[in-house]
Amino acid sequence: MRAALAPVLARHPNLTVSAKVASNHGTIVRKDFRAIAEAVREVGALTREGR
């Protein structure tokens, strides 16, 4: 997955990576839920600003 990020980010300059972690998806959801919540808040703020 990480190897696939660079080309995707190059094609879509509006995308950003909020955090990189070494854990897998299940672990991220269980243990890094705060990072996920912060990323969702960032996207929400961008959406509100763009209106």
Side-chain angles (χ1 to χ4, degrees), residues 20-45:
K20 282 188 175 182
V21 295
S23 54
N24 63 29
H25 180 265
T27 303
I28 291 169
V29 173
R30 280 192 307 274
K31 294 184 178 181
D32 297 333
F33 59 90
R34 287 180 185 89
I36 294 169
E38 182 59 29
V40 170
R41 287 186 197 101
E42 288 177 20
V43 171

